[in-house]
Amino acid sequence: MTTPPVRPGAGRPRASSRETLAEAASELFLERGFAATSVADITTRAGVSRSSFFNYFASKSDILWAGLDERIEALVVALDAAPVEGGDAAVAARIRDVVAGVGADFAPDPLALGIVHATAMGIVDELEREAAVRRARIARAVAAHARAAGADRIRADVVGAAWGGAVLAAIEAWAQEGAGRTALAPFLDRAADAVSTAIGGAAEGEVSQLRVVVQAAAFEQTLAFYRDVVGMPQAEAYEADGGARVAILAAGRATLEIANPAQVEFIDRVETDGDAPSDRIRLAFQVADADAAATRLAEAGADVEARPRVTPWNSRNARLRGPAGLQLTLFQELDPH
């Protein structure tokens, strides 16, 4: 980790009264609705004075957002203090480290409860409006750091908007999945992966694209299988003299996985019980539903070498043999909890 994680600020009033107020407010929002609950109702339920309420919160809305606001404030400070040297990859790694700190020890709070019960509390519009404010605050901080590191204004603003959206999307997904059952950190990590893929900040090097070239005698059949059945959109196509044809299919993010023989044997045992050894080159496609994809490919003529199964690293993998003799792995990343 290149930058210390974000931690909420110290020096605030003791947490017990604040937590009591937050708990009382959450109960009342559920019982009566947000609009029908007054500050006086909250302080009466909590057994504290009105002045004590305003020691902790500026308004009813702040009860929902106070925990996240502390972390956003710390994020802003951390990004402002972070070094700005290095290329795009170094900048992206620093931003990711700081954003990851938002999820450190983030316990379920009124915001998570409000997201799950927004309709019952009558705060759907309130949440949307206030979430936009927090997205913008994160976006400004990230964009400022990116500009300080040398990014032009458009790229910096796009990067900032992506990270602002990622943090709020992760919090909403965490709440909906049951914030008390799992940590926020894995959801932030998944959101960060999405940002890295979308803006191309995951890695830096001389190679800007990985392209696998496959010779296929049955050109039309092979093209239809990978384009229409596997689901890889056709990006380009060309023809030349003598019947020469080529089609280039888009496959999302491309990586090159290099494994030694021991790793290959291990993967073969995990994916196939060792009875369908890997070719020297095997294509792996990440899909949303490995079972459905494997069924679809098999119905289109692929040979199933190993049916979908859960791996020790919490993915669901299947292995097939497709047109042009290509060995395929389908893998679905499962939820972290």
Side-chain angles (χ1 to χ4, degrees), residues 72 75-76 79 95 99 131-147 153-168:
I72 293 176
L75 176 148
V76 172
L79 284 175
I95 293 171
V99 170
V133 172
R134 275 73 187 180
R135 276 193 294 269
R137 192 176 300 163
I138 295 168
R140 285 195 299 271
V142 172
H145 180 76
R147 284 196 299 273
R153 178 171 291 276
I154 291 177
R155 177 171 176 79
D157 287 349
V158 169
V159 170
W163 279 109
V167 171
L168 272 296

Side-chain angles (χ1 to χ4, degrees), residues 197-235:
T197 299
I199 65 177
E204 183 181 66
E206 296 299 324
V207 177
S208 60
Q209 180 184 160
L210 172 66
R211 182 173 294 178
V212 178
V213 181
V214 176
Q215 179 176 310
F219 180 83
E220 291 290 354
Q221 176 193 359
T222 303
L223 174 60
F225 180 85
Y226 291 103
R227 181 191 60 204
D228 304 330
V229 182
V230 175
M232 301 166 67
Q234 182 169 306

Side-chain angles (χ1 to χ4, degrees), residues 11 15 20 27 36 57-58 72 94 103 112 133 137-138 142 145 156-157 163 181 239 245 248 271 285 287-288 294 308:
T20 301
E27 292 173 356
F57 308 108
I72 293 176
R94 282 195 296 271
V133 172
R137 192 176 300 163
I138 295 168
V142 172
H145 180 76
D157 287 349
W163 279 109
R181 297 197 302 268
E239 297 184 10
R245 296 183 61 192
I248 299 171
E271 285 191 357
F285 297 117
V287 296

Side-chain angles (χ1 to χ4, degrees), residues 6-79:
V6 177
R7 299 287 181 180
R12 296 183 179 273
R14 63 190 180 90
S16 57
S17 294
R18 173 173 160 170
E19 291 169 358
T20 301
L21 284 162
E23 183 177 344
S26 298
E27 292 173 356
L28 288 166
F29 293 162
L30 274 173
E31 293 171 11
R32 305 179 185 180
F34 181 81
T37 299
S38 67
V39 170
D41 294 331
I42 296 169
T43 56
T44 299
R45 174 70 65 91
V48 301
S49 67
R50 180 181 175 86
S51 60
S52 293
F53 178 93
F54 290 106
N55 285 336
Y56 298 97
F57 308 108
S59 66
K60 287 190 303 180
S61 180
D62 278 358
I63 295 172
L64 298 172
W65 295 97
L68 179 59
D69 284 346
E70 284 187 358
R71 291 162 186 270
I72 293 176
E73 181 182 344
L75 176 148
V76 172
V77 171
L79 284 175

